[in-house]
Amino acid sequence: MNTQAQYAATVLRLALGVMYLSHGLLKLIVFTPEGTSGFFESIGMPAFFGPLTMWVEIGAGIALILGVYSRWVAAALIPVLLGSIVLVHGASGWLFSNQGGGWEYPAFLIAASVAQFFLGDGAFALKKAKPAIANAQTA
């Protein structure tokens, strides 16, 4: 991959990492683990999914910022985002500015996470994963 693409992957990785970290910290600091549990329970999910989601977002955000297996971390977050569309934001329509937040932002984050998966870790990553295509070619 050329150097410019490596830097582009890094910019995307950092942006996704900061976003996931901030969403996890919002659940921890503002909503609190108890409040997050209560919200998840209110939408019919087991209460423990709230703190689990919170810690996944925090851990994944840190991993992305540091560049630790970024492609796999980004891929692992896609089901979390799909769940947010199906269980929370989907009923609020397209625009995220709608009451209850629509599904445009989680859908964009899914697309960005897919792009991160295909681009890979980028420059300055601490622990790079092997490219998915290279793995398939050597198998």
Side-chain angles (χ1 to χ4, degrees):
M1 186 184 288
N2 72 41
T3 304
Q4 290 176 338
Q6 289 287 319
Y7 293 145
T10 301
V11 170
L12 178 60
R13 187 186 86 223
L14 292 173
L16 282 172
V18 168
M19 191 285 313
Y20 284 119
L21 178 60
S22 66
H23 278 253
L25 289 175
L26 176 71
K27 290 174 180 69
L28 176 65
I29 296 167
V30 176
F31 301 142
T32 73
E34 296 79 17
T36 302
S37 293
F39 174 75
F40 274 70
E41 218 169 23
S42 77
I43 60 170
M45 299 291 294
F48 77 88
F49 275 10
L52 177 64
T53 301
M54 175 185 72
W55 290 114
V56 164
E57 289 174 342
I58 291 170
I62 292 169
L64 286 167
I65 290 167
L66 295 176
V68 176
Y69 295 114
S70 305
R71 70 171 58 244
W72 303 112
V73 170
L77 289 163
I78 293 170
V80 175
L81 293 162
L82 287 170
S84 77
I85 291 172
V86 171
L87 299 170
V88 181
H89 300 292
S92 299
W94 167 250
L95 293 176
F96 200 71
S97 60
N98 290 349
Q99 180 71 28
W103 57 274
E104 82 174 289
Y105 187 56
F108 172 78
L109 291 174
I110 289 170
S113 294
V114 169
Q116 186 72 62
F117 175 78
F118 285 122
L119 286 170
D121 302 289
F124 313 113
L126 291 182
K127 184 69 176 163
K128 294 186 178 210
K130 292 182 181 178
I133 293 173
N135 288 343
Q137 290 173 347
T138 59

